[in-house]
């Protein structure tokens, strides 16, 4: 828009045109109303503000050749467009005026003072509009000047700075991204294992990999018990469609009641809250039956590699070896005693599986396998062939009795190794559930009895070692002797005759033995009982071995002076008594009996078993003298009588030993019947083996069984190990009643 000229425009009449409405803008001289023109419209600035906002029309007279400037009417003139213009102007009246004129008093036109226009105010100007300037001049007396109210111009509202908004928005966006980035770092580094584990756990399957259980071998390496490959059958309860129908199909193949199988297939929750996907149905299933089960193609039923314990001999050494559960845990015998060593360490396979119908290993998913570590094997001192023959002989001899219990032990004299250890009754270790608990006991270590006359060898050995007697000692022996309230008698009365020490052993004289013990004394006798291994477990290696019991010296009664020396008021096991005779055979040195020869690791490396405890009990000379005297038990047969152990003699070999008749107590109660026993060694001139046989029978037939059983066992043992007969030496001639 071109700038407006400073020269006021004039009409043709030479008078200035004003803008007036309603007569307020009329010329005072003519009273004609002013006629509005284009100048009224041009009087507004491009921003919509008037050059002057006031009351009345500026009028000028042609004085002094001064140019007259038109001024617009004020807002009070009733201009209908004024409110809109005020809105456009920011709501402030009188802003942006470019000049002001005042008239002289009396209504006459005065000199018009032109005020140089000020630049229009921008809405962003912070300075206040200056107060309107008034011109000096006389006031019209008839019309006082109108007083305008003093108004403080309002400041226009400030608009927001877009740059500040941009900076604030940028800062907020960066803060948000920084927080997200930090959280992502924590998720990817710090919290990764926790979140990963939480997700993987829900889809992991775990399968145990059983470790092959170690074998139990005899001294030659022959297997007495070992594990063979088998299968276990398992169920995934989440996939089994009809557990009752499935159980009915599996029951005849597994030999397990259908109700038990259905119960195992019932869905259940694990401690983690997840459903169980693995339940054992049977262990040690034969491979053939496992194939039949797989052929049924039952939903949720699977088969995996397992092992089964196999005992080739059935009842061979069953009371020693024991048995295991279906989970391959030792329950009795050596299987239980050395379970930790035999069972090894099981492995485990953990892998990801799908859910639902896709319950199969996920290719490329998480999978970890810990290989099982096989168990170690035990090599026993037992000889399988000798064990078999010992059991056979014992069973055959005991067939003559009813409701009896028998035990037999064979010991290598020099080493203390137990070559055979048999019990009767016995059981089939393949099917232990079909036997009674008493049938599974090892009688050699758990059968506690009064040893009876076989204890006399300990009394005579102590007397020899202490110098109370010699091999040539003789003295008169009465038929009876009373100790306290008990009278002791001999089964072979001497009638007061002198008897030799071999004669006393051959006829098992109670009176002669008690008289020797009186000279020995209770304290020394108890000391030798302990040296020979009585009153404490031997530590052979069997679990639950009984310790027996010795009567302390301060608890002896008057009758104990007679009962203890002849083997009563003493509790011992067959193994303890066998070890005591082995000390006599081993030139007076006691060697702890033991069953474990070697331990064979998973890598095949062999480690010897524990070193047996040894101690000296008798001197070699006294031990040899006692052995010679004990030969009388199996050889004396003449006009003076027959020895008690003739039935134990082994043709071709010199045998030294002793018969015994004792009692059995169970839970502190005396049991009916008697315990017949025989313990001997051969060849007597240089003993190699000791055999002990104990038989308890309610009818008292044990004595008739023990000696013949010994003869057969010792004869087989000597032939089995190819021991030469005693052809070059004969047993001495014993005189029972020397003249």
């Amino acid at each position: 828009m071109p700038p407006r000229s400073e020269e006021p425009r004039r009409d043709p009449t030479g008078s200035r045109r004003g803008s007036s409405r309603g007569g307020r803008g009329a010329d005072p001289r003519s009273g004609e109303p002013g006629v509005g023109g284009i100048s009224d419209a041009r009087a507004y600035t491009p921003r919509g503000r008037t050059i002057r906002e006031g009351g009345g029309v500026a009028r000028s007279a042609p004085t002094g050749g001064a140019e007259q400037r038109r001024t617009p009417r004020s807002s009070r003139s009733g201009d209908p467009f004024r409110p809109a213009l005020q809105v456009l102007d920011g709501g402030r009246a009188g802003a942006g005026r470019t000049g002001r004129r005042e008239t002289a008093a009396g209504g006459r036109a005065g000199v018009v003072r032109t005020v140089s226009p000020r630049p229009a105010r921008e809405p962003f100007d912070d300075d206040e509009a200056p107060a309107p300037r008034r011109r000096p001049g006389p006031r019209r007396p008839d019309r006082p000047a109108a007083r305008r109210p003093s108004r403080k111009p309002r400041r226009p509202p400030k608009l927001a700075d877009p740059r500040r908004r941009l900076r604030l928005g940028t800062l907020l966006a960066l803060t948000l991204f920084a927080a997200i980035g930090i959280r992502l770092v924590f998720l990817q580094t710090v919290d990764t294992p926790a979140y990963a584990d939480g997700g993987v756990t829900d889809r992991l399957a775990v399968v145990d990999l059983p470790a092959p259980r170690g074998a139990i071998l005899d001294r030659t390496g022959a297997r007495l018990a070992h594990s063979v490959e088998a299968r276990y059958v398992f169920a995934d309860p989440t996939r089994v469609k009809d557990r009752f129908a499935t159980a009915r199909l599996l029951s005849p193949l597994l030999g397990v009641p259908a109700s038990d199988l259905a119960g195992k297939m019932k869905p259940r929750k694990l401690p983690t809250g997840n459903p169980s996907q693995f339940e054992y149905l049977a262990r040690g299933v034969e491979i053939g039956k496992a194939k039949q089960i797989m052929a049924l193609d039952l939903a949720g039923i699977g088969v995996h590699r397992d092992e089964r314990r196999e005992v080739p001999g059935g009842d061979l050494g069953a009371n020693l070896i024991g048995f295991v559960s279906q989970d391959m845990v030792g329950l009795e015998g050596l299987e239980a005693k050395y379970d930790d060593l035999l069972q090894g360490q099981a492995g485990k396979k953990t892998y990801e599986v799908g859910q639902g119908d896709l319950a199969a290993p996920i290719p490329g998913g998480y999978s970890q396998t810990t290989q099982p570590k096989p168990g170690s094997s035990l090599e026993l001192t037992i000889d399988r062939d000798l064990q078999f023959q010992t059991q056979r002989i014992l069973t055959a001899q005991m067939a003559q009795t009813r409701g009896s219990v028998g035990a037999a032990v064979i010991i290598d004299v020099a080493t203390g190794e137990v070559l055979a250890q048999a019990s009767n009754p016995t059981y089939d270790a393949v099917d232990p559930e079909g036997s009674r608990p008493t049938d599974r006991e090892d009688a050699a270590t758990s059968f506690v009895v009064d040893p009876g006359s076989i204890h006399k060898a300990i009394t005579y050995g102590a007397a020899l070692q202490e110098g109370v007697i010699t091999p040539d000692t003789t003295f008169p022996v009465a038929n009876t002797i009373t100790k306290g309230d008990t009278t002791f008698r001999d089964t072979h009365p001497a009638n007061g005759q002198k008897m030799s020490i071999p004669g006393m052993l051959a006829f098992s004289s109670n009176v002669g033995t008690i008289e020797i013990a009186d000279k020995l004394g209770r304290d020394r006798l108890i000391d030798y009982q302990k040296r020979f291994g009585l009153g404490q477990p031997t530590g052979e290696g069997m679990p639950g071995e009984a310790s027996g019991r010795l009567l302390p010296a301060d608890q002896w009664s008057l009758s104990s002076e007679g009962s203890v020396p002849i083997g009563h008021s003493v509790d011992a096991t067959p193994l303890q008594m066998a070890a005591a005779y082995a000390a006599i055979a081993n030139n007076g040195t006691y060697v702890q009996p033991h069953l474990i020869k070697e331990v064979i690791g998973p890598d095949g490396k062999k480690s010897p078993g524990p070193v047996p405890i040894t101690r000296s009990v008798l001197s070699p000379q006294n031990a040899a003298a006692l052995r010679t005297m004990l030969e009388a038990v199996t050889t004396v047969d003449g006009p003076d009588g027959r020895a008690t152990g003739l039935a134990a003699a082994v043709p071709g070999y010199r045998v030294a030993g002793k018969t015994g008749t004792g009692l059995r107590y169970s839970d502190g109660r005396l049991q009916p019947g008697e315990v017949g026993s025989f313990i001997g060694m051969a060849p007597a001139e240089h003993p190699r083996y000791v055999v002990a046989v104990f038989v308890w029978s309610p009818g008292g037939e044990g004595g008739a069984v023990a000696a013949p059983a010994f003869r057969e066992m010792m004869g087989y043992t000597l032939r089995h190990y190819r021991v030469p007969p005693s052809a070059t030496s004969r047993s001495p001639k014993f005189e029972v009643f020397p003249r």
Side-chain angles (χ1 to χ4, degrees):
M1 181 176 180
R4 191 169 50 184
S5 173
E6 295 294 335
E7 175 109 9
R9 302 184 65 180
R10 297 179 179 272
D11 57 8
T13 60
S15 64
R16 224 179 127 203
R17 288 187 294 182
S19 63
S20 63
R21 289 189 182 182
R24 293 194 60 182
D27 191 321
R29 293 175 294 181
S30 61
E32 295 291 334
V35 179
I38 191 65
S39 59
D40 285 337
R42 297 182 65 180
Y44 293 98
T45 66
R47 295 183 180 271
R49 292 194 295 266
T50 58
I51 296 176
R52 176 177 180 183
E53 296 177 2
V57 178
R59 309 180 69 175
S60 62
T63 57
E67 296 181 354
Q68 183 179 0
R69 171 174 292 182
R70 295 181 63 91
T71 60
R73 295 177 53 148
S74 71
S75 60
R76 288 177 296 178
S77 62
D79 187 352
F81 300 102
R82 191 61 199 160
L85 295 176
Q86 288 182 350
V87 171
L88 294 175
D89 193 31
R92 187 175 64 185
R97 287 175 298 186
T98 59
R100 185 171 181 173
R101 155 176 98 78
E102 295 182 0
T103 58
R108 296 176 63 94
V111 177
V112 176
R113 179 177 297 171
T114 304
V115 181
S116 59
R118 296 181 61 188
R121 290 174 55 85
E122 296 294 333
F124 302 107
D125 292 344
D126 294 332
D127 55 328
E128 297 182 0
R133 300 173 60 183
R134 298 181 60 89
R135 290 183 183 178
R139 290 182 177 271
R140 293 176 58 182
D142 56 346
R143 188 177 179 181
R147 179 173 298 178
R148 296 174 58 118
S150 174
R151 259 196 290 179
K152 183 176 182 181
R154 290 180 298 176
R155 173 179 294 182
K158 287 187 176 181
L159 300 178
D161 189 352
R163 291 173 297 176
R164 293 178 62 187
R165 289 197 301 267
L166 181 61
R167 288 194 294 269
L168 180 60
T170 303
L171 180 61
L172 291 176
L174 291 177
T175 302
L176 179 61
F177 281 116
I180 295 174
I182 293 174
R183 182 56 180 162
L184 287 175
V185 170
F186 269 87
L187 290 176
Q188 294 294 328
T189 57
V190 179
D191 298 337
T192 296
Y195 282 98
D197 292 344
V200 172
T201 303
D202 295 337
R203 57 180 183 272
L204 283 184
V206 180
V207 176
D208 292 331
L209 303 178
R213 188 176 179 87
I216 297 179
L217 314 173
D218 81 333
R219 64 186 300 109
T220 65
R223 295 177 178 179
L224 300 177
H226 64 105
S227 296
V228 296
E229 184 178 354
R231 298 291 184 266
Y232 67 78
V233 180
F234 67 94
D236 181 352
T238 62
R239 299 181 58 209
V240 175
K241 296 180 180 179
D242 187 343
R243 59 190 179 98
F244 296 101
T246 303
R248 286 192 295 269
L249 292 173
L250 293 177
S251 178
L253 294 175
L254 298 179
V256 180
S259 58
D260 294 347
L261 294 176
K264 293 180 180 180
M265 289 184 281
K266 183 179 180 180
R268 68 179 184 90
K269 294 287 187 179
L270 297 175
T272 59
N274 299 323
S276 173
Q277 294 181 321
F278 184 88
E279 295 292 337
Y280 279 116
L281 297 183
R283 300 289 304 272
V285 179
E286 295 181 359
I287 297 178
K289 290 185 178 180
K291 290 182 178 180
Q292 295 180 35
I293 293 173
M294 291 300 295
L296 296 176
D297 194 20
L298 300 173
I301 303 300
V303 173
H304 201 274
R305 186 182 182 278
D306 195 14
E307 62 175 329
R308 184 182 71 254
R309 201 64 167 172
E310 189 171 276
V311 182
D315 63 349
L316 181 65
N319 300 75
L320 280 178
I321 298 169
F323 58 92
V324 299
S325 67
Q326 286 189 344
D327 294 331
M328 305 301 289
V329 177
L331 299 180
E332 289 189 13
L334 296 176
E335 294 275 21
K337 174 76 172 182
Y338 299 96
D339 184 62
D340 292 341
L341 186 145
L342 291 168
Q343 71 177 348
Q345 298 178 1
K348 182 184 294 185
K349 182 177 182 180
T350 305
Y351 57 92
E352 286 186 84
V353 296
Q355 301 295 325
D357 294 336
L358 298 178
I362 299 176
Y366 175 82
S367 179
Q368 183 178 11
T369 301
T370 302
Q371 295 297 334
K373 182 180 179 181
S376 299
S377 297
L378 291 178
E379 185 174 298
L380 305 183
T381 59
I382 297 294
D383 185 318
R384 181 182 61 174
D385 295 337
L386 184 59
Q387 177 73 26
F388 173 78
Q389 289 295 336
T390 302
Q391 288 187 213
R392 184 191 64 78
I393 295 170
L394 183 64
T395 302
Q397 291 292 331
M398 290 185 62
Q400 306 173 28
T401 64
R402 294 182 179 180
S404 57
V405 177
V409 180
I410 301 178
I411 297 178
D412 186 305
V413 169
T415 62
E417 295 177 345
V418 178
L419 303 177
Q421 187 164 308
S423 299
N424 189 277
T426 185
Y427 70 102
D428 187 355
V430 178
D431 183 24
E433 296 181 357
S435 60
R436 298 175 300 176
T438 54
D439 296 343
R440 301 194 295 265
E441 293 179 355
D442 175 55
T445 57
S446 64
F447 189 45
V448 180
V449 299
D450 277 356
S453 294
I454 57 176
H455 180 272
K456 293 175 181 177
I458 295 176
T459 304
Y460 283 88
L464 282 172
Q465 189 68 21
E466 294 297 321
V468 173
I469 61 172
T470 66
D472 299 328
T473 299
T474 61
F475 57 86
V477 177
N479 293 338
T480 63
I481 187 171
T482 300
K483 293 291 183 179
D485 57 355
T486 304
T487 299
F488 299 90
R489 295 179 171 81
D490 281 345
T491 56
H492 293 74
N495 299 319
Q497 300 181 71
K498 287 185 178 180
M499 290 188 73
S500 65
I501 300 298
M504 296 178 190
L505 288 170
F507 291 165
S508 192
S509 174
N510 293 330
V511 176
T513 304
I514 293 172
E515 290 183 0
I516 293 174
D518 286 342
K519 298 177 182 180
L520 181 64
R522 68 178 68 174
D523 291 330
R524 287 193 289 183
L525 178 57
I526 293 173
D527 179 51
Y528 276 89
Q529 285 177 326
K530 293 178 180 178
R531 291 189 186 184
F532 276 106
L534 303 187
Q536 58 185 352
T538 64
E540 176 198 35
M542 287 296 294
E545 181 183 0
S547 62
R549 185 181 66 89
L550 295 178
L551 189 64
D554 57 356
Q555 296 182 17
W556 282 35
S557 63
L558 293 177
S559 62
S560 298
E561 301 284 349
S563 61
V564 172
I566 62 176
H568 296 286
S569 300
V570 178
D571 293 337
T573 64
L575 180 63
Q576 288 174 329
M577 295 308 301
Y581 273 72
I584 299 172
N586 192 34
N587 290 325
T589 300
Y590 177 88
V591 180
Q592 178 189 15
H594 53 281
L595 282 169
I596 308 302
K597 184 178 181 181
E598 291 179 330
V599 177
I600 305 174
D603 56 355
K605 183 179 180 180
K606 295 185 178 182
S607 302
V611 178
I613 298 172
T614 61
R615 57 178 173 270
S616 177
V617 181
L618 302 175
S619 67
Q621 295 79 10
N622 287 326
L626 183 57
R627 290 197 302 268
T628 301
M629 292 188 293
L630 287 172
E631 285 189 72
V633 177
T634 62
T635 59
V636 172
D637 185 12
D640 297 328
R642 292 171 58 88
T644 59
L646 290 178
V650 178
Y653 295 91
R654 294 172 57 181
V655 177
K658 185 71 183 75
T659 58
T661 302
L663 303 174
R664 181 190 181 192
Y665 290 87
S666 178
D667 297 329
R669 296 180 180 180
L670 177 64
Q671 301 298 307
E674 294 177 341
V675 178
S677 58
F678 190 92
I679 304 178
M681 60 199 74
E685 69 276 15
H686 182 64
R688 294 278 305 274
Y689 307 103
V690 167
V691 176
V693 180
F694 285 71
V695 177
W696 169 78
S697 172
E701 302 91 351
V705 172
F710 167 87
R711 181 183 66 243
E712 292 189 44
M713 293 177 189
M714 180 60 82
Y716 179 84
T717 302
L718 295 172
R719 293 190 299 272
H720 178 66
Y721 291 109
R722 300 179 181 180
V723 178
S726 304
T728 58
S729 61
R730 296 179 179 273
S731 298
K733 294 292 183 179
F734 297 102
E735 192 173 356
V736 178
F737 300 106
R739 305 293 192 280

